[in-house]
Amino acid sequence: MSSLNWTFDTVADNYEKLRPGYVDELYQTIFEYKPIDDTSCVVEVGVGGGQATLPFLQTGCNLMAVDYGENFCKICREKFKEFTNFSAVSGKFEDIVFNGEYDLVYSASAFHWIPEEIGYKKVYKMLKDGGVFVRFANHPYRDKGKPALSEEIDRIYADYYYKYYNKEPETPIEYTEKQAHDRALIAEKYGFTDIQYKLFYRTRTFTAREYITLLGTYSDHIAIEETIRNKFFSKIEEAINRHGGEITIYDTIDLQLARK
């Protein structure tokens, strides 16, 4: 489903409102590893709705954000209009020509859309000596406190999502430290050093309506034919309402740091 990155831009407003930001401790870890200030040049790969942008802008750095979706770029230009150090460019990261060298390049829940070899080699080339690549992402896991609800949602996914994609149902698995470790070591293959990683945790609680609106910002859900998607989401909303009207999501956020 690697071609589904177009789907996000069709729901840019909901994406900006409902996709989560990241925890303060994550940014503290980044800026301890690589301090930046108003003399620094930074690129964000895949700005989306700007969920990870503000803490970088607040350092005073010159930040250029890139995103495949023009709607996302428009939203972020408006959202960060008071920051003269912000600019947004629409286009595929692989195709954009970057002039100059950068102190830091980062990507939040977006770098998996770029072919590994192309992405890492390009970032390495963009960075100054000693420059840093930062990659982080949020990995949600369904409500641990309501196993009956999770089982019902699994059955709904089997009937709609997996049937639509003609795939065997898979049991959701919570993101592990080994996955974070293995992802961090990818950078080593492309010449990066001083590789580190760290995990952060949080929970988020949604009403049934909020949750299906959130699901409507996921690429593989957006791509489901509309009539089927509407029935799919309706069944999930009904299930949550039968189990107390709320669902809690357990997030694992993984952070990878690597230096040129």
Side-chain angles (χ1 to χ4, degrees), residues 26-36 104 130-134 192-197 255-260:
L26 177 139
Y27 298 106
Q28 292 168 9
T29 302
I30 293 170
F31 298 142
E32 287 171 4
Y33 182 89
K34 177 63 175 178
I36 57 173
L104 187 147
V132 165
F133 177 46
V134 179
F192 289 92
T193 61
D194 190 20
I195 294 166
Q196 299 180 23
Y197 73 94
L255 167 67
Q256 290 86 29
L257 303 159
R259 199 180 306 275
K260 178 174 178 178

Side-chain angles (χ1 to χ4, degrees), residues 133-145:
F133 177 46
V134 179
R135 177 177 180 174
F136 51 101
N138 186 59
H139 305 276
Y141 185 72
R142 285 209 301 273
D143 204 322
K144 298 178 184 179

Side-chain angles (χ1 to χ4, degrees), residues 18-47:
L18 286 168
R19 284 297 185 99
Y22 300 88
V23 296
D24 291 343
E25 294 81 4
L26 177 139
Y27 298 106
Q28 292 168 9
T29 302
I30 293 170
F31 298 142
E32 287 171 4
Y33 182 89
K34 177 63 175 178
I36 57 173
D37 56 24
D38 59 6
T39 67
S40 305
C41 293
V42 174
V43 172
E44 178 176 4
V45 181
V47 68

Side-chain angles (χ1 to χ4, degrees), residues 126-236:
M126 291 166 61
L127 289 169
K128 299 176 181 177
D129 287 341
V132 165
F133 177 46
V134 179
R135 177 177 180 174
F136 51 101
N138 186 59
H139 305 276
Y141 185 72
R142 285 209 301 273
D143 204 322
K144 298 178 184 179
K146 295 181 178 179
L149 172 59
S150 289
E151 288 172 9
E152 188 168 348
I153 290 177
D154 283 342
R155 289 194 294 270
I156 295 167
Y157 266 79
D159 289 342
Y160 291 91
Y161 177 92
Y162 288 106
K163 188 173 291 185
Y164 180 81
Y165 283 113
N166 195 27
K167 295 169 60 179
E168 285 296 314
E170 298 174 3
T171 301
I173 298 173
E174 195 166 12
Y175 193 80
T176 67
E177 182 166 352
K178 183 181 186 305
Q179 287 174 289
H181 169 267
D182 291 347
R183 180 172 285 182
L185 290 183
I186 294 172
E188 193 172 50
K189 295 193 292 185
Y190 299 96
F192 289 92
T193 61
D194 190 20
I195 294 166
Q196 299 180 23
Y197 73 94
K198 191 171 182 180
L199 297 177
F200 306 88
Y201 303 93
R202 67 171 172 208
T203 60
R204 295 174 289 144
T205 299
F206 299 92
T207 66
R209 174 59 57 173
E210 289 170 341
Y211 185 64
I212 63 166
T213 306
L214 172 67
L215 291 182
T217 69
Y218 292 153
S219 59
D220 50 353
H221 291 55
I222 300 166
I224 295 173
E225 191 275 323
E226 185 177 7
T227 302
I228 297 171
R229 184 175 71 242
N230 289 341
K231 291 179 182 177
F232 175 35
F233 285 2
S234 178
K235 292 290 185 182
I236 292 175

